[in-house]
Each structure stands twice: as C-alpha cells, then as structure tokens.
Amino acid sequence: MRAGGVTEGGTTLGVKTGAWRNFRPVRDEMKCKRGCEPVAIGRLERFVADWELENGLRIPEKAEPTGKKVAVVGSGPAGLTIAAELAKKGHEVTILETLHKPGGVLVYGIPEFRLPKRIVEAEVEYVKKLGVNIMTDVIVGKTLTVDDLLEEYDAVFLGTGAGLPLLLGIPGENLAGIYSANEFLIRINLMKAYAFPEYDTPIKVGKKVAVIGGGNVAMDAARCALRLGAEEVSIVYRRSEEEMPARREEIERAREEGIRFVTLTQPVRFIGEEKVEGMECIRMELGEPDESGRRRPVPVEGSNFTMEVDQVIIAIGQRPNPLVMRTTEGLDYDRRRGIVIADSMGRTSKEGVFAGGDVTTGAATVIAAMGAGKRAAEAIDKFLRGE
Amino acid sequence: MARILEKTELAPDIKEMVVDAPLIARKAEPGQFVIVVVDDKGERIPLTIADFDREKGTITIVFLEIGKTTMKLGRLNAGEEIAHLTGPLGNPSEIPEDETIVFVGGGVGTAAVYPIARKAKKSNEIISIIGARTKDALIWEDRMRSVSDELIVTTDDGSYGRKGVVTEPLKELLEEKKVDRVVAIGPAIMMKFVALTTKPYGVKTIASLNPIMVDGSGMCGACRVQVGGVTKFACVDGPEFDAHEVDFDLLMKRLSTYREEEELAKKLFVEGG
C-alpha cells in the first residue's frame, strides 16, 4: 500500500458510502495531492471503526430480493465493500476466501496497532448481517474455478488483491532467517504468532533485524519486529528518505519508536551457514529521475560493506497472485505487470466477470480498493438488471 | 469445518483419517495437498492428499504425530471436526506413459506415493520400494502391492522385509534394468540420498518437497526452495521438482528453523495432557 495511492480516483466515494460508512470529514483531506501534508489513513481507518463499535452497527434498508446471485472472490477491502453494496441492492452475495479468516490484507497484513482486528471483525459482521454468505477455505482457481462459479452465479467479482511477495533475487536469499514481509506479517497478524505458545504458529525475531524496502509494509514489519523484542531494527532502502513510498506519518512513527534508517543502501548478497548472519550491501547515489519520477539509485562502485544481521525481512512490494488469471478462460491480463485488465467500472474481457482493487492496479491502498469495489458494484448491478 | 468420517491407527504414532470434503475431493489429483488448521489457535500445516473419492466426497490424510499440531489432530475422533481444510493445493503429479517407474516411499511418504502410483499403474510398469524404521511403522503395504508390479519392503532394523535403507534395493534395480523414472516421497534426507543414488545413472528423478508452509497459496514464501539455483515456491511451483536440481541441504536447514519452538510446544502439550 503506497502513500501515493491515497489520492487515486474515486476514493472519496469509497470512504463516504462504502463499507466504512458514516465518515464524512475525510473528504477535504482526500483532495490533498501527494507531497502536501500526508493524510492519516491509518488513523482514519481506526476512527471510522471505533466510531461504529461505540455507536453500534446500523443495518441499512435492503432492496427487494432480485433473485440474482453474485460470487465475490476475496474478502479484503474491495470484496467486503462490493459485497455490502450488492447485498443492499437486493442481490444474493457469497464471498469466497482462501484463508481461514475473512478480511484479506486487513487481517493478514495490517498490524493490530494500526488496525485492531476487532474492527475488521465488526466490518465482517456488518457484511454478514446484510445477508452475505462468507465461505472461507475456498481457493478460487483450485477448489473452484471462475468458470465453475459462473455456472452457479450470475456474476463474479475478482478482488483477490496483491498477495504475492517480490523478492530481491540475490545470492543467499533463501537462507533460514530471511522472510518475506508477507510471511512475517501473516505469522503475526493472521496466525497470532506473537502469542506463541498459546497459539501454535511460531515466529523468530532476531537481535539485529534488517527490513529491506521503504513502503508502508516495510514500516509495519519493522515496527512489529521491534514490538516482538528485536534489539535493533533497520530499514534498508536504496534511495533516500525523500523517495520512500511510505506515508510520512508511518515513517515518523517508525522513527519515533526507534527504527534506524539506512538509506541509499542496497543488499547484494546474504551471508550465513545454518542461517543468515550478515548482509553485504552497496552504497547508492541518486542519479537522474526514472519513469516513476523519482531519482534513480545508482550503485557507488567499490562501496561494498557488510551489515551484521540475524534476521532479514524483504518488503519490496507485492504482485497479484496469477492463479485466477491462469485458470480462467478468456480473462485478459497484463502478463508483464501481472494484473487483470479491467475498465474503470471493473468490467473485464470476460462476460459476467468483474475485477477491482490491487488485482487490477498492482499493490495500492485499502481506500483505493474500496473505491473500486464501490464502482464495480454499480457496474454489476447494471449488468444484472440487463442495462 | 471438515468432519472426520473414519480414523484408523496405522502405527502407534501414525493415523489415517477419511474426511468429508466434497469440494476438495471433486478437484483433487494425485500429488496435491491440503492445508489443515486443527482448531482456532492452530497453525496451518500441509498434508498430502493420500486418497480421494469423488463420489463419496471424501479425502484421506495420513500423518505422523511428530509435533503439537499432528498430535492434536491425532486426538480427534470420527464424528469430530477439523476447524479448516483448504485445497487441493499444488500441482498434480505428471503421469507419463509406457515407462518403467520406481516409486520410493519413506515413512508416511508411502501414503503420498500411493495415489500417484495408482494412477500411473494404468499405463506404466511400476516397481515400488517402501521403507520404515521398523515393522510396526510400515504403512499401506497392501495398497502399495495392489498398484505395483513389484514391491520391495525395507526396514531400518530388519524386523520386516529387507534390512537397510531404500536406496540399497534402488541401486540394485538401477544396475539390473532400464528405469525411466524414479519418484521419491519421504523425509528430506531420504529424498536427498535417492537423488544421489540415481544421479550417476542419469535417471529422471522427482521428489515431492515438504518445506514449512503457512498459507499454501503463494503468499508467504515460507516454502521457498532452491531448484537449479532458482528460487521456487513449493506450494505453487511444486511440490514436485527435479530431485537432481533441488538443494536438499538448504531445505533441511529451512525445515529446522523452528526446531526449538516445535520442541517447546510439544513438551507443553504433552505435559498438559
């Protein structure tokens, strides 16, 4: 989830009338473009949900049943939003979730201190109260294919997110002690490894932890490592702090908590026998701006040095899981970027199949995914009414 | 929730369970696995689908009670429910035609070999070697015999079949006749030595890897393995790989990541009754 995504189109709709209901003050802030005072999305998410936990869930009026059935693949922000919207319009909605708990990135990715799980549970409860059926432990593309779903449902929405971790592709990356941020955060957030041995999933926390990357996920992983007892946690980022994709607020929080920032530094090799013991890095300097508009990091020849680490968390981004794309006949996708091709309303190349959120954009924000869910709900409703 | 329909004790610490899982049974193919979560505080562990019945809507799992999770699972009885069961995961086995295939099963790996051998039997000559520590720990001998043209049994202590390890009869077979393919499923160390045994003969060798997994769907990368120097996720790229290209030493190091925690959890569980 990148800070820049905060201002992406249509998000105000998602916040104002999507699953995060009854929250209006955000609207002006959302106009804020990247570079000005950062929008406190983390706090916003908490505020909305805290408000509802205190004031109780209001279940809105539902339209008369239409007799139409919709399958929503994935129970993250896009999926929960669209499920609620379509249920309100009188359609019968079933959410299919791969993991054993609904919530997608809200339960596996975002740590408790940024988004308490009781809030996600309240959101899920709300969606269920609207009559949405949630089936966990169903992996679409394996347990059922999209084509199987189309035999039973009138439309399918793909909100499968961006769950596939990117890796560095450098020597030693598979040594024990090296985690993807996804694994580290899934163990903590979804599996509650912080409560081992009461919960069965274990986690290792090193003394000297390096988190590679400069996005919000890197900040989350670094702060989790520190909370779990690491002595020293360093964010290692190849550009300067200026270019970090994380929201300013997250960077500040991480710094306040004592995370070290090692910028203009890129790992080139991991060292270790039984497990990781060190990381060879090279210093970088900033060259000309690249296609992202940020100054390109260029290695400084001969500047190699070794950092002593006993745990590494790689947080350099995620891509959508290709499973659904590869198993769905006639669904166009961008092979290079690994995303499903959909228009602004979520319509894909396949009749009756819609998509939105990270699976169509690459890793972005919760708010953007909710907006996409909201828009696709309109499109699916029209499709089901034959308009 | 998945209801346990039958439970059989195959050995003192090896259980077989037939589980009601119609959606999984409908799609399951030999070589695939499921992720099991025993209860609300449980971890996610992969178990191979040892058998499936599409009509009855059931799958069979066979497991060694080696740690807290498998011990908890082993205490559940027919009529009780497993909290979560997801699958079928991983890629189905490649089944060739008109080949002489040697299947090698070690310990509970024999149960994982069985559905592959059963399917392969229709169009190939099958020789199976199954091994166990001791006679009591040997499983599914009859089933393996029913899907093999020839079956060789080994035990480490010589209490049944040939005394010794599976690689000895394997080497003899490779000397004696033309083998097109070897498929090995068992402990990482066994698969490593099977690969070393077949390598000089240049016989295609497949191993089904058993790394630590969490989600089982490509999300976490806990199951990273190195195959031919390239990083693969066993859950979505495997679990079967060319055994001659697999870095088994790395696999074993990664498998031992949580040894201390596993021992602690098991100790507390056993002491807690």
Side-chain angles (χ1 to χ4, degrees):
Chain A
M1 274 163 279
R2 293 182 34 193
V6 165
T7 55
E8 280 164 15
T11 54
T12 50
L13 264 185
V15 175
K16 211 173 107 189
T17 54
W20 312 89
R21 296 153 308 283
N22 306 316
F23 188 74
R24 291 186 177 79
V26 68
R27 201 167 174 196
D28 289 336
E29 279 190 284
M30 298 304 293
K31 287 177 187 161
C32 168
K33 294 289 179 229
R34 189 160 178 234
C36 73
E37 204 51 35
V39 181
I41 295 298
R43 279 197 302 228
L44 180 158
E45 288 165 349
R46 277 200 70 157
F47 175 86
V48 177
D50 285 346
W51 187 92
E52 275 193 348
L53 282 180
E54 279 166 29
N55 296 278
L57 286 175
R58 258 189 328 134
I59 303 300
E61 297 273 310
K62 275 176 66 176
E64 285 296 304
T66 60
K68 300 288 184 185
K69 294 173 75 180
V70 183
V72 170
V73 183
S75 64
L80 289 176
T81 303
I82 195 168
E85 292 301 313
L86 291 172
K88 280 188 266 180
K89 293 178 195 295
H91 305 303
E92 190 184 328
V93 183
T94 299
I95 297 181
L96 304 130
E97 167 57 46
T98 292
L99 295 172
H100 59 280
K101 273 185 210 161
V105 73
L106 307 173
V107 291
Y108 78 73
I110 304 179
E112 183 77 18
F113 55 81
R114 283 221 292 124
L115 179 63
K117 297 297 162 281
R118 64 190 169 84
I119 289 174
V120 183
E121 282 160 18
E123 283 300 321
V124 169
E125 273 316 302
Y126 168 79
V127 170
K128 281 186 186 165
K129 281 204 177 118
L130 282 169
V132 172
N133 175 31
I134 302 182
M135 284 174 76
T136 57
D137 309 307
V138 175
I139 175 164
V140 173
K142 288 285 187 185
T143 318
L144 291 167
T145 63
V146 169
D147 293 294
D148 291 334
L149 292 174
L150 285 170
E151 285 177 18
E152 200 182 327
Y153 297 90
D154 300 294
V156 174
F157 175 78
L158 304 173
T160 49
L164 221 65
L166 296 177
L167 297 169
L168 292 158
I170 61 174
E173 191 161 37
N174 298 323
L175 281 168
I178 302 180
Y179 291 72
S180 73
N182 264 6
E183 180 185 356
F184 191 70
L185 293 171
I186 286 172
R187 283 181 183 273
I188 295 169
N189 299 325
L190 177 71
M191 307 308 298
K192 303 195 190 304
Y194 57 83
F196 176 87
E198 188 201 342
Y199 281 78
D200 294 342
T201 303
I203 190 151
K204 287 282 186 191
V205 178
K207 288 192 173 70
K208 292 188 176 214
V209 181
V211 180
I212 318 300
N216 291 322
V217 173
M219 301 303 147
D220 284 347
R223 293 168 69 191
C224 282
L226 206 61
R227 279 167 168 72
L228 287 174
E231 285 170 13
E232 187 181 284
V233 181
S234 307
I235 292 272
V236 178
Y237 182 56
R238 62 193 180 133
R239 305 187 205 233
S240 75
E241 201 176 307
E242 193 69 12
E243 290 82 20
M244 276 191 182
R247 288 190 295 271
R248 287 299 114 188
E249 187 194 4
E250 300 301 331
I251 295 172
E252 288 318 313
R253 289 262 172 88
R255 195 193 311 282
E256 274 169 27
E257 291 178 11
I259 308 290
R260 288 177 66 214
F261 283 77
V262 182
T263 54
L264 292 167
T265 301
Q266 171 85 342
V268 293
R269 177 170 75 102
F270 296 106
I271 306 156
E273 279 301 316
E274 293 305 306
K275 59 188 293 297
V276 67
E277 290 158 19
M279 180 167 87
E280 185 183 324
C281 300
I282 189 163
R283 294 277 184 217
M284 311 292 274
E285 58 189 12
L286 294 178
E288 294 300 306
D290 63 13
E291 61 275 15
S292 76
R294 296 176 301 170
R295 294 178 67 192
R296 185 192 303 275
V298 184
V300 178
E301 217 170 297
S303 67
N304 295 45
F305 67 102
T306 301
M307 264 179 86
E308 192 191 313
V309 292
D310 57 2
Q311 183 171 37
V312 176
I313 300 163
I314 300 169
I316 58 167
Q318 300 92 233
R319 279 166 73 103
N321 194 319
L323 182 60
V324 167
M325 306 176 210
R326 287 181 187 161
T327 54
T328 307
E329 201 92 19
L331 179 69
D332 285 351
Y333 62 99
D334 180 331
R335 278 172 174 74
R336 191 181 59 84
R337 296 173 65 202
I339 55 175
V340 171
I341 297 169
D343 68 13
S344 65
M345 299 302 283
R347 288 176 287 240
T348 71
S349 59
K350 192 174 170 83
E351 170 99 5
V353 178
F354 299 75
D358 284 2
V359 73
T360 60
T361 57
T365 65
V366 168
I367 304 286
M370 286 165 41
K374 173 81 184 162
R375 288 191 302 280
E378 298 292 331
I380 290 180
D381 186 54
K382 276 189 184 158
F383 171 75
L384 293 175
R385 293 175 192 281
E387 288 171 24
Chain B
M1 293 283 214
R3 186 173 298 274
I4 299 163
L5 302 176
E6 288 170 42
K7 175 186 175 183
T8 312
E9 188 172 294
L10 299 178
D13 54 358
I14 300 176
K15 304 277 195 297
E16 173 186 331
M17 284 177 178
V18 178
V19 183
D20 183 40
L23 286 180
I24 300 174
R26 205 165 71 185
K27 288 282 163 76
E29 292 288 344
Q32 293 189 296
F33 64 92
V34 287
I35 290 278
V36 174
V37 183
V38 179
D39 56 36
D40 286 344
K41 291 182 176 176
E43 61 181 336
R44 294 172 66 96
I45 62 157
L47 289 175
T48 304
I49 299 171
D51 203 353
F52 51 87
D53 187 322
R54 296 197 208 286
E55 278 171 24
K56 289 185 186 152
T58 62
I59 64 162
T60 300
I61 51 176
V62 173
F63 54 94
L64 174 67
E65 294 175 29
I66 198 173
K68 181 181 177 185
T69 298
T70 43
M71 290 166 88
K72 278 203 294 196
L73 182 59
R75 286 189 188 185
L76 294 179
N77 290 309
E80 294 185 293
E81 283 177 333
I82 297 171
H84 300 278
L85 194 65
T86 314
L89 299 168
N91 299 304
S93 303
E94 177 194 276
I95 309 281
E97 286 192 2
D98 300 324
E99 286 192 2
T100 296
I101 310 174
V102 178
F103 283 98
V104 182
V108 289
T110 297
V113 159
Y114 168 73
I116 311 171
R118 180 176 60 188
K119 187 169 182 188
K121 177 75 166 65
K122 291 174 186 151
S123 52
N124 299 276
E125 182 192 6
I126 308 297
I127 303 168
S128 299
I129 306 170
I130 60 173
R133 284 187 331 278
T134 184
K135 186 185 177 194
D136 286 347
L138 189 74
I139 61 163
W140 283 20
E141 183 189 356
D142 290 347
R143 287 202 191 202
M144 284 306 297
R145 198 176 299 283
S146 72
V147 296
S148 307
D149 294 288
E150 185 186 346
L151 178 75
I152 301 163
V153 179
T154 68
T155 52
D156 295 354
D157 63 2
S159 55
Y160 188 70
R162 275 181 64 160
K163 181 176 168 33
V165 292
V166 291
T167 45
E168 290 158 18
L170 175 62
K171 191 167 169 32
E172 290 165 17
L173 279 172
L174 293 166
E175 287 288 341
E176 278 166 23
K177 63 184 293 171
K178 187 181 159 291
V179 173
D180 300 297
R181 178 187 298 249
V182 173
V183 178
I185 309 181
I189 188 80
M190 181 205 91
M191 295 190 283
K192 174 184 170 172
F193 280 98
V194 166
L196 287 172
T197 304
T198 59
K199 184 112 203 238
Y201 298 90
V203 174
K204 179 170 185 162
T205 303
I206 306 292
S208 178
L209 305 186
N210 55 343
I212 292 170
M213 288 187 189
V214 186
D215 63 283
S217 64
M219 284 177 69
C220 79
C223 68
R224 301 202 300 287
V225 291
Q226 216 155 289
V227 183
V230 177
T231 298
K232 299 281 184 188
F233 285 15
C235 67
V236 290
D237 300 322
E240 293 185 1
F241 294 102
D242 179 344
H244 295 148
E245 298 288 334
V246 171
D247 186 338
F248 283 104
D249 293 334
L250 185 71
L251 173 66
M252 286 186 272
K253 282 176 193 169
R254 288 187 65 87
L255 277 169
S256 66
T257 303
Y258 299 102
R259 188 93 352 129
E260 282 169 46
E261 288 82 1
E262 286 158 4
E263 289 303 321
L264 174 68
K266 184 177 175 180
K267 184 169 163 277
L268 293 173
F269 181 71
V270 171
E271 282 171 1

